[in-house]
Amino acid sequence: REIKEAAQRLLSFNTENPEIAFDDSAVERILCGIGSHHAGVLPAHKAFIESLFRIGLMKVIFATETLAAGINAPARSTIICSMAKRGDNAGMELLETSNMLQMAGRAGRRGMDIEGACIIAATAFEGPEDAITILTNEIKPIVSQFSPSYALAINLIDRGGGKLEVARSMIQKSFAVWESQQREQELETALESLDINDENRSPEELFLNALQLTLEKEIIEARDGTSPRGTSKSAISKLDSLVDVLSDGKNLKKISKKYSGAAQMLELEQSTLKYLEREFREMDQVETMPDNVILPENLFDDDKRELLSEIKTQRSRVTKGEREINGSIIAALAKVANNRMKNDTEESIILREALKAVRTAGDDVPFVEGAPLEPGELNTYIMTAPKTNRRRLLTYASSPSEEKNDECWNQMLSLLNVLEAFGCLKRRDVESDEITVDDRMNPEKYQFT
């Protein structure tokens, strides 16, 4: 009976759509209850497969993760054949935690199954450890991908009968606009919490908070593709790691102690190197004695060779220590802070003011105005600040842009302008060729040509 019904639906589809009819091999698979659903399949074919799956005529579907994320098509079981996929940089990357859970969550049909089964298959490249990593990683927040398109513009004009109220209402209610408004409020709250005159917090703590906010803002801009410093995943990952360090007070103190130990060891190694070099210079001076003082020839050759060997070894130790210091997290934080303080954004100004305040509060030698933040100086502030966890100040959704609502709407108007220029739409009862925003809000504005 199921095969007969599937055959009837196939016949109906192929008759109504001869230009995109299923070929014989696809028909044979569908009649066996097997289908495929991926980016290489025509949208009409995917919709047909989805409809058969919903009514139980499709038993097995080989699909990409889009099937799980985009439609309501629960199954009794799901099998995840690979835990990695090709990424944006042409390399293989592990699946996002949210995608894995979304696919696994398809197992179990509501009202039909009391439980569902999800099988994660190991491969030659991914094993149990990778599965654990994916399933236990933090789920990234939902980020709006809304962007007006030509198809959306035409559909909304059609639904509004030529009027733009439907289009404007839809954009105003979009997740992107709501998300931007929430981000604006979050940023304002975070900036208010960084008052450098707050007497309840030490200047060092306020500076670290300002640095954390600056890095979080940079992460958001990088994920949105608006950061002037790059938007690569590696750069975002490094910034994210630095924020994790700053927000974890206990771990930050451990890193600070490790840096202090490495700095003291480097200072000791440098002092030893200076002593050995001084000894070598003094040995050279002894060799250049006055003519009336006669010393055996090559008296100091062996000593000099031994001393040169020690100097060489000591220089390698100093180089190793400098490499450890320069590659430390403290040095990375100082470098990032100096780069961010060169900007004129609100967060950068607050960061500069916070650094000025913490330097002024100290009893040390006054700093030169605008002097860069040194790693050792930053480490001193970390050691002085209280060992408390700083929560993340911002949610990593898309960054707030100036008047996001108007931005999306202006994109929609630009698309309508192009459609009108190509003759897809024409204005009603408007004689002027000049197109203005007020004209476009005319209740009877467009009609299809």
Side-chain angles (χ1 to χ4, degrees), residues 87-223:
D88 297 333
N89 298 324
M92 299 300 292
E93 299 176 354
L94 290 178
L95 294 174
E96 296 283 353
T97 301
S98 56
N99 291 343
M100 175 78 84
L101 295 179
Q102 183 72 22
M103 289 187 285
R106 288 301 183 189
R109 297 167 295 181
R110 181 177 300 176
M112 300 178 64
D113 301 317
I114 60 174
E115 62 181 19
C118 175
I119 301 171
I120 302 176
T123 68
F125 304 100
E126 304 99 30
E129 295 81 6
D130 297 301
I132 294 173
T133 299
I134 296 173
L135 293 174
T136 57
N137 276 345
E138 181 182 1
I139 299 177
K140 295 180 180 179
I142 299 173
V143 178
S144 173
Q145 301 296 325
F146 175 79
S147 179
S149 63
Y150 292 109
L152 178 64
I154 290 177
N155 288 334
L156 292 179
I157 291 296
D158 186 31
R159 288 174 56 185
K163 302 176 183 179
L164 296 185
E165 280 84 352
V166 173
R168 179 177 281 276
S169 175
M170 184 266 188
I171 289 177
Q172 288 175 340
K173 296 177 181 178
S174 69
F175 180 63
V177 173
W178 176 87
E179 185 182 56
S180 179
Q181 293 170 350
Q182 293 296 109
R183 289 283 297 104
E184 294 278 3
Q185 295 174 4
E186 270 191 357
L187 183 58
E188 290 177 5
T189 303
L191 291 174
E192 290 174 0
S193 69
L194 297 179
D195 183 5
I196 60 174
N197 297 316
D198 189 349
E199 297 180 355
N200 296 323
R201 299 181 182 178
S202 66
E204 292 82 4
E205 183 180 4
L206 289 172
F207 173 73
L208 295 178
N209 286 346
L211 177 57
Q212 180 177 328
L213 175 63
T214 305
L215 295 181
E216 290 187 31
K217 185 77 182 321
E218 178 70 17
I219 292 173
I220 293 170
E221 291 177 353
R223 288 180 175 171

Side-chain angles (χ1 to χ4, degrees), residues 269-332:
E269 298 289 4
Q270 289 173 335
S271 298
T272 303
L273 177 61
K274 289 180 180 179
Y275 171 78
L276 293 174
E277 290 176 339
R278 186 172 63 252
E279 284 287 313
F280 186 80
R281 288 194 299 270
E282 291 176 355
M283 194 173 293
D284 271 348
Q285 292 175 359
V286 171
E287 281 191 329
T288 57
M289 296 292 288
D291 294 338
N292 59 343
V293 179
I294 302 175
L295 295 175
E297 189 176 354
N298 302 326
L299 175 64
F300 298 104
D301 285 357
D302 292 340
D303 293 337
K304 287 178 67 176
R305 278 195 295 270
E306 184 177 349
L307 191 56
L308 282 173
S309 177
E310 291 181 7
I311 290 175
K312 183 179 179 181
T313 302
Q314 192 61 32
R315 282 176 178 171
S316 66
R317 290 176 179 172
V318 170
T319 301
K320 181 181 178 181
E322 290 173 342
R323 191 182 302 116
E324 183 179 356
I325 289 292
N326 294 333
S328 67
I329 294 178
I330 302 295

Side-chain angles (χ1 to χ4, degrees), residues 38 50 72 375:
H38 52 79
E50 292 167 13
N72 182 22

Side-chain angles (χ1 to χ4, degrees), residues 36-37 43-56 58 61 66-67 70-73:
S36 58
H37 190 289
H45 287 187
K46 289 194 286 187
F48 181 78
I49 295 297
E50 292 167 13
S51 66
L52 293 184
F53 189 63
R54 288 195 187 97
I55 61 178
M58 187 66 62
I61 295 183
T66 54
L67 177 66
I71 66 169
N72 182 22

